Amino acid sequence: MTSMTKPSFNLAILTDHIANIGGAESILFNAVALFPHADLFTTVHKSEIDAKLPPYIARKGFETTFLQHLPWPEKLYKAYLPLMPMAVEGLNLQAYDVLLSSHHSMIKGVIPRPDATHLCYCHSPARYIWDQFWTYASMNRLGPLGSLLVGALSSPLRQWDAVSANRVDRFLANSSFTAKRIQKYYNRQAEVLFPPVDTQKFAHAAGQLVQSDDYYLMAGRLVAYKGFELAIEVFNALKQPLHIIGLGPEYERLKAMAGPTVKLLGRVDDATLTEQFQRCKGFIFPGKEDFGIVMVEAQAAGKPVIALEAGGALDIVVPEQTGILAPEYTLEAFKAAVEAANRCQWDAEAIARHAQQFDTQVFRDRLECLVTQAASSTSQSLRL
């Protein structure tokens, strides 16, 4: 389907609020590129985010919920969370034959037309009301009273989240790990559709892989759950070089921890980022993520990934072929994994080929097929 051909069905693309540009937003960007005539909906839209959006999305604009008209919605978004079910249910989507939602919070709870088809690409059931409630409470330093209050508010949200899953006709999950969580909390099966990764951005040119330097690499937003602290402890102990790219609230604390072989590079430009990926010896990923796009980017550059044996890494890393999986989130387990990686003779070309299954075009081809099938199903329902 090309941008010049208007489809014969009405499509609504829905997303939870956009706070930063990341993996979840790549689903929106690719969906709109495939279906430029679709209308866009979100819960709350921050005006300053427009500068970070691709022009073809910023020009279209978003229809929002009533939360947009409450005082300071961009700052008080979390405070309005108890109103979110009412807000998403208030979106009038009765004109649309197919709904495609990019869900990590509440957006999948919209009410479709009875004969419409709702596809939900689920990045994760809302972590802060399900299995990571306690982690988020600790990270936000809520204290006993705050945790009790938030827990009381979360209980009805969990009930609504589970019940509203019945409004989705087909779930798509970004990983096998997320598919299991969808089964656990929503009691629904999900097809795994890996998120789109620009594997060409870090790929070697003309089949010639760049000669590796001696450092390992870690990159991402410097927050507690990503595992940067453990990575620094490991490379301090091993006295081996580690480069860390990124900024975040943990930057100063991590910088203070770093030994002489660990360098925190902060935010870097795209050219430097690409060079760091292409020249590193391997990539470190101690955290547990629903997927972990950055691991695929490292493999696209032909680099092995050392990751925790959990989450999205189970889909991305083939042990002893494209990386090493550490069985536990401990200093000793990751030291052993790095030492094992140092002993391996890695086939960089094979690692790069493995990454191609996660390429953007693979994602687009499958998503276009799924949306077209959904439109056909809706059309058949209309004829009955």
Side-chain angles (χ1 to χ4, degrees), residues 102-364:
S102 175
H103 168 82
H104 61 78
S105 180
M106 297 286 165
I107 198 65
K108 65 111 175 73
V110 294
I111 299 176
R113 205 174 66 210
D115 57 344
T117 303
H118 182 181
L119 292 173
C120 174
Y121 190 95
C122 184
H123 305 277
S124 172
R127 290 185 282 266
Y128 50 84
I129 61 172
W130 290 105
D131 54 312
Q132 293 187 28
F133 167 79
W134 299 271
T135 300
Y136 277 80
S138 176
M139 287 172 58
N140 288 286
R141 298 180 175 87
L142 295 179
L145 183 60
S147 296
L148 183 64
L149 177 60
V150 172
L153 293 172
S154 297
S155 182
L157 286 176
R158 279 191 287 272
Q159 295 177 42
W160 176 85
D161 194 39
V163 170
S164 64
N166 292 320
R167 302 170 192 168
V168 174
D169 294 283
R170 189 168 189 174
F171 274 101
L172 308 173
N174 59 0
S175 68
S176 301
F177 174 68
T178 298
K180 290 178 181 177
R181 296 181 75 241
I182 291 170
Q183 176 66 50
K184 183 70 173 179
Y185 300 125
Y186 298 158
N187 196 28
R188 296 289 302 277
Q189 297 290 322
E191 174 184 337
V192 176
L193 175 59
F194 298 126
V197 183
D198 183 3
T199 59
Q200 299 308 307
K201 180 177 180 179
F202 300 102
H204 51 286
Q208 298 299 313
L209 287 162
V210 178
Q211 179 65 41
S212 295
D213 288 337
D214 195 39
Y215 66 89
Y216 281 88
L217 180 66
M218 190 173 179
R221 180 165 166 76
L222 306 188
V223 292
Y225 71 91
K226 295 279 189 179
F228 287 95
E229 180 176 349
L230 178 61
I232 290 174
E233 290 175 352
V234 168
F235 283 85
N236 281 347
L238 291 172
K239 295 181 172 57
Q240 294 182 26
L242 172 67
H243 291 184
I244 296 176
I245 294 175
L247 291 175
E250 295 287 295
Y251 179 83
E252 293 299 332
R253 190 175 71 86
L254 295 173
K255 187 175 181 180
M257 288 180 54
T261 64
V262 178
K263 294 182 180 180
L264 274 72
L265 306 181
R267 182 181 288 116
V268 300
D269 58 33
D270 278 351
T272 303
L273 180 67
T274 299
E275 182 182 24
Q276 286 286 314
F277 269 91
Q278 291 180 335
R279 301 199 69 87
C280 72
K281 186 175 183 179
F283 193 83
I284 307 298
F285 199 91
K288 182 169 74 172
E289 290 276 14
D290 298 313
F291 184 69
I293 286 175
V294 70
M295 289 188 282
V296 177
E297 292 172 337
Q299 291 190 349
K303 308 302 178 179
V305 172
I306 301 171
L308 182 66
E309 191 176 6
L314 297 174
D315 287 324
I316 297 169
V317 179
V318 181
E320 318 301 331
Q321 296 181 36
T322 70
I324 303 290
L325 292 175
E328 298 176 325
Y329 185 81
T330 63
L331 174 64
E332 291 305 318
F334 270 86
K335 280 178 61 180
V338 172
E339 290 168 342
N342 289 337
R343 292 192 295 269
C344 285
Q345 296 295 317
W346 297 106
D347 185 340
E349 295 281 0
I351 294 173
R353 285 196 301 272
H354 171 77
Q356 294 307 305
Q357 66 180 298
F358 306 102
D359 187 67
T360 296
Q361 194 57 52
V362 175
F363 170 85
R364 286 192 176 191

Side-chain angles (χ1 to χ4, degrees), residues 52-65:
K52 301 179 181 180
L53 296 174
Y56 62 90
I57 291 181
R59 285 194 299 266
K60 286 181 70 67
F62 292 84
E63 184 169 334
T64 59
T65 68

